[in-house]
Amino acid sequence: MQNATRKQTNPGTTDLEILQELNQGFIRAVRMSDVAWFDQNLAEDFLNSNADGTLVERAAFLRQIAPPCPVSDFGVEDVRIRVLGDTAIAHGRTTYTKPDGQAAAGRYTDVWVRQGGRWVCVSGDVTRG
């Protein structure tokens, strides 16, 4: 995260580059159960729509991220980030292997806003195939 924080203050870095790095950080943090990364990069009023249809607030999201990731080979492809002023929307396709060895995929949409001079994630939405 410290690198992402530094980049957010680097005048030579574009918003798209910052958001690409944050998106990669988000995926890495899911893979590594990195609650500290999420704690630093989620807005205080963050909400997540889980694949099972539940909606969780920030604290519950941090609790559900804390245990080891139950899937392996967790990766991302087809990432599209749209910067709309002080708001950005990131879409991506996740790929992973389920605990039973079966290959699977899903999609996510994250909404980022610029608050206090830095980008924070305010909303996430996850689907699984």
Side-chain angles (χ1 to χ4, degrees):
M1 168 52 206
Q2 295 204 359
N3 192 24
T5 300
R6 230 176 303 139
K7 278 202 159 213
Q8 288 196 16
T9 61
N10 182 345
T13 305
T14 67
D15 286 332
L16 181 57
E17 290 170 325
I18 292 166
L19 289 156
Q20 288 169 332
E21 184 173 315
L22 287 167
N23 184 72
Q24 290 172 355
F26 197 113
I27 296 300
R28 184 203 59 77
V30 169
R31 186 183 311 119
M32 304 302 295
S33 303
D34 188 349
V35 174
W37 188 94
F38 284 111
D39 192 43
Q40 293 178 349
N41 290 286
L42 299 182
E44 289 303 316
D45 61 348
F46 174 83
L47 292 173
N48 192 71
S49 296
N50 290 323
D52 65 2
T54 58
L55 181 67
V56 295
E57 295 179 354
R58 186 180 195 277
F61 179 81
L62 294 176
R63 283 192 302 273
Q64 74 186 30
I65 284 295
C69 185
V71 300
S72 59
D73 304 319
F74 186 73
V76 66
E77 57 190 36
D78 190 27
V79 175
R80 299 177 193 186
I81 299 173
R82 297 179 292 149
V83 181
L84 310 161
D86 286 338
T87 303
I89 304 170
H91 302 273
R93 180 176 186 268
T94 55
T95 58
Y96 52 92
T97 303
K98 294 179 182 182
D100 66 4
Q102 193 174 39
R107 294 209 62 87
Y108 68 89
T109 302
D110 296 323
V111 179
W112 295 82
V113 297
R114 191 186 333 259
Q115 291 181 351
R118 63 185 302 265
W119 290 98
V120 293
C121 189
V122 296
S123 178
D125 185 74
V126 178
T127 61
R128 291 190 194 125

